[in-house]
Amino acid sequence: MYKISKQREWIYTYMLEHPGQHFSAEDIFAGLNEMGKTVSLATVYRNLKILQNEHRIGSLMLTSGKQVFDQTCRPHDHLICTHCHRVYDVDMTYDRSLERKAENQLQLPIESHSLILYGICADCLKER
Amino acid sequence: MYKISKQREWIYTYMLEHPGQHFSAEDIFAGLNEMGKTVSLATVYRNLKILQNEHRIGSLMLTSGKQVFDQTCRPHDHLICTHCHRVYDVDMTYDRSLERKAENQLQLPIESHSLILYGICADCLKER
DNA sequence: ATAAATGCAAACCTTTTGCACCCTA
DNA sequence: TAGGGTGCAAAAGGTTTGCATTTAT
């Protein structure tokens, strides 16, 4: 179905090579072009959507309404720093039993959940 | 500082009169105009922002990137139905101790959190 | 050869803003 | 009567789409 295009591989590789970061389409567009790998913004958007459909990457909608993409689509929580506004992946706190607990409390089937923690990240904490 | 304008009261009252619902600016714009209360969309947006700054209402960014507004800004969770995509307020599951638990696990100060549960709402469950 | 992918520009959607006019304290 | 507030239309973001061209299989 899909062909292997160099642009799609650039985009995916770019994400894997920056672990822990969360990118907007614009970030990836700018990052690749700086490396001399010319891609159009439309292609970045199209491929991010394809990679997501293939479950190779995940995404997150920020309260600003901007979408950012994640290297992985494995279930995990996020920490958003209230100082620098960076987004971090957090595996340690991820707790599937929240869903069972909610099911019991609400008496409704719960399939998944999304938890965002707001606090101060390690970097910002160090700087003070 | 702020003056009482009839438009602002219409908007706020409209939200209070539809408890449990979550509105986009467009929803409120359309709803009020249907009632013969003419408001411009720009005024709806401006006033929703003001009401939010005054902590009279809350808001939530959906994964679609659309912002919806909530009658209250008291901390609570949300249930999003994976069938009808309606958004529900959920107080029963809200658990501030998640923040203390995360603080211990991450060793970082956590100020707040946001939990969205994805499942089947009571209405959709009934229909099957 | 042909189905898929790309680049470009135009279109879209939601939200914000500038400005002239209006209204409320 | 002054400083908010409103409506309108234009602008601003971010994302998607149409179309002609290029590329992988």
Side-chain angles (χ1 to χ4, degrees), chain A residues 3 11 19 21 27 31 40 47 53 59 61 67 93-95 97 100 102 124:
Chain A
K3 295 184 183 178
I11 290 165
Q21 286 189 230
D27 291 336
S40 75
N47 280 298
N53 290 344
S59 80
M61 185 60 68
Q67 192 177 202
T93 57
Y94 183 74
D95 182 7
S97 76
R100 304 292 77 75
C124 286

Side-chain angles (χ1 to χ4, degrees), chain B residues 5 20-21 66 76 80:
Chain B
S5 79
Q21 287 190 228
K66 278 183 199 159
H76 60 277
I80 300 184

